[in-house]
Amino acid sequence: MDTLGHNDNANFGDKTPLSANDLHLDNPEAAIALVSCSPDSDYAEMVSSLSASLRMPIAGLTSVGIPFDIGEEAFGTHVTLIGKKNTKRSLAVSDVLEHTRSRELMADLHKRCLDGLEGEPKLYLLFMPILPNLYADDYLDRLFELLGDVPVVGGMASDDFRSERTAAFGNDAAYKDRMVLVALSGDVRPAFGVGCEFTNPSSFSPVVTEADGNLVRRVDDMLFSDYMNKLGFGPDATTDFPLSIRIRAAETDDDDYPRVSSIVAMNDDGSGTLSTNIEVGATISVGYVNQANIASSTQSAVDRLKASMSEIEKDGYRFDTLFVVSCVGRYYTMVEQPNVEAHILDREMTPDLAGFGFYAFREVGPVPGADGRLKNQRHGQSLVLCAI
């Protein structure tokens, strides 16, 4: 894997610093360009220009920055290339996403990605645009069912929370309403590490007694708004941080890898709109991302990744690629210290690892299940690391 170019000009314009003729790849037939760029850039033109000059598949999305980049300059465009010996790749773009067809659409996307792949998939990369008025969880849950034990890493594109300039990239186009899936096969042995920051100021954890999709109406048979008032987070309360809830439901839920959902809105009828679906019977607690604890959650992710890498390296496998996906909520919480994650990654990880990453509205990555096997999971307020 190689980092081929990083353009700090938010307006990509005519600058196409890379050409297929400049590349010296071990396995050009398996090469793919991974791209993250500012939502304020002309990303559609950038993707089209890169596709024409590189002559290889392109995958990626918009992001407010790069989690591993230490610097004060404005983020523009970051391009990283993968394509090693003994590996293969396939890329597929979904049809236009329609919530009522989530199962059909994900089955078709998965099939087309596998049809273009030589060998058994070892790792998937997922790039999603923001999906207004759609339940992203439904797409992810359907996809997780199809992928089975094969891990997937990725997330939804990010911007300044207005969700107006986000897109996923696939081949020569940018999409606001399609999902991009990449499959890697061959000598690919991924290692993972996930760390979540959730500070809970109250031990009061009620049970959801009425909910519909991502709408929570009642907890312990009281209105959700009454629960928030009881904690001091009523309509007149002011906080210096966005609130979220931690969800404990299935027996496999783990305190080390919690399900976290942002509270998007408090509604006039006393219900609350969340960023993910929630089920009746789940136990919840309200909390937030604490800037003081982001470093420790980053260190937890790094420690888990290094332990996983160490086991795989015993067989002589060499890692050269680091994927980094961090919650956009962590990014905005770190506004006064924007390089917290980057400094830890720079200190703890070998410089031989080339990096690709982005900030996401929803992070995706596998965690150990109760039986010790990896299970794909959607995350919130988390840092997801993957090395290959």
Side-chain angles (χ1 to χ4, degrees), residues 222-376:
M222 73 177 81
L223 285 173
F224 185 68
S225 59
D226 291 339
Y227 166 58
M228 296 296 289
N229 288 332
K230 189 171 184 178
L231 296 180
F233 298 127
D236 298 325
T238 59
T239 62
D240 295 328
F241 40 77
L243 294 173
S244 56
I245 66 169
R246 180 173 185 158
I247 305 169
R248 292 182 176 88
E251 294 180 358
T252 53
D253 279 1
D254 191 325
D255 284 346
D256 289 334
Y257 308 103
R259 290 170 55 197
V260 177
S261 178
S262 299
I263 300 176
V264 177
M266 295 299 300
N267 306 312
D268 292 340
D269 63 358
S271 65
T273 301
L274 308 181
S275 62
T276 67
N277 293 342
I278 189 168
E279 60 269 40
V280 171
T283 300
I284 67 170
S285 55
V286 172
Y288 54 92
V289 178
N290 188 336
Q291 178 175 320
N293 296 333
I294 287 180
S296 61
S297 66
T298 302
Q299 189 65 55
S300 293
V302 169
D303 290 345
R304 289 165 179 155
L305 175 68
K306 292 170 72 173
S308 179
M309 292 172 65
S310 179
E311 285 298 312
I312 297 172
E313 286 172 332
K314 290 178 180 178
D315 295 330
Y317 186 77
R318 177 178 173 270
F319 290 94
D320 59 13
T321 303
L322 179 64
F323 297 104
V324 184
V325 183
S326 181
C327 173
V328 71
R330 293 166 67 98
Y331 172 84
Y332 283 108
T333 302
M334 295 186 295
V335 64
E336 296 178 1
Q337 296 176 299
N339 296 322
V340 172
E341 294 171 328
H343 281 299
I344 293 175
L345 292 170
D346 182 64
R347 182 188 71 221
E348 296 285 342
M349 305 307 298
T350 171
D352 295 337
L353 290 175
F356 173 75
F358 54 89
Y359 289 100
F361 274 118
R362 187 76 49 78
E363 316 87 70
V364 174
V367 298
D371 57 2
R373 301 172 66 178
L374 289 175
K375 59 170 184 173
N376 289 314

Side-chain angles (χ1 to χ4, degrees), residues 76-308:
T77 302
H78 189 95
V79 181
T80 304
L81 215 71
I82 57 174
K84 287 294 185 181
K85 290 180 179 178
N86 304 318
T87 64
K88 301 292 182 180
R89 53 91 176 123
S90 175
L91 182 151
V93 179
S94 75
D95 289 337
V96 174
L97 298 172
E98 300 176 25
H99 180 240
T100 56
R101 300 176 57 219
S102 61
R103 185 175 295 276
E104 173 191 346
L105 288 168
M106 291 302 94
D108 178 68
L109 175 64
H110 181 238
K111 180 180 184 301
R112 286 192 283 114
C113 197
L114 283 182
D115 286 347
L117 186 68
E118 182 179 329
E120 294 296 318
K122 301 294 182 61
L123 176 68
Y124 287 96
L125 305 178
L126 178 65
F127 305 96
M128 304 170 62
I130 290 292
L131 307 175
N133 302 319
L134 299 176
Y135 289 144
D137 290 357
D138 285 349
Y139 290 105
L140 290 173
D141 290 344
R142 300 286 182 269
L143 192 59
F144 292 167
E145 292 175 8
L146 294 163
L147 301 187
D149 291 335
V150 183
V152 57
V153 173
M156 286 202 300
S158 65
D159 65 358
D160 58 2
F161 285 97
R162 290 178 296 179
S163 304
E164 297 173 351
R165 291 283 300 163
T166 67
F169 311 143
N171 293 320
D172 61 351
Y175 299 99
K176 290 182 172 295
D177 55 4
R178 298 171 189 253
M179 197 179 298
V180 178
L181 185 65
V182 175
L184 303 177
S185 65
D187 191 18
V188 178
R189 306 182 215 176
F192 304 98
V194 177
C196 178
E197 158 45 23
F198 181 86
T199 295
N200 179 10
S202 171
S203 59
F204 179 34
S205 300
V207 174
V208 177
T209 50
E210 185 179 348
D212 180 14
N214 65 338
L215 202 68
V216 55
R217 300 185 185 277
R218 290 182 173 272
V219 296
D220 280 0
D221 290 324
M222 73 177 81
L223 285 173
F224 185 68
S225 59
D226 291 339
Y227 166 58
M228 296 296 289
N229 288 332
K230 189 171 184 178
L231 296 180
F233 298 127
D236 298 325
T238 59
T239 62
D240 295 328
F241 40 77
L243 294 173
S244 56
I245 66 169
R246 180 173 185 158
I247 305 169
R248 292 182 176 88
E251 294 180 358
T252 53
D253 279 1
D254 191 325
D255 284 346
D256 289 334
Y257 308 103
R259 290 170 55 197
V260 177
S261 178
S262 299
I263 300 176
V264 177
M266 295 299 300
N267 306 312
D268 292 340
D269 63 358
S271 65
T273 301
L274 308 181
S275 62
T276 67
N277 293 342
I278 189 168
E279 60 269 40
V280 171
T283 300
I284 67 170
S285 55
V286 172
Y288 54 92
V289 178
N290 188 336
Q291 178 175 320
N293 296 333
I294 287 180
S296 61
S297 66
T298 302
Q299 189 65 55
S300 293
V302 169
D303 290 345
R304 289 165 179 155
L305 175 68
K306 292 170 72 173
S308 179

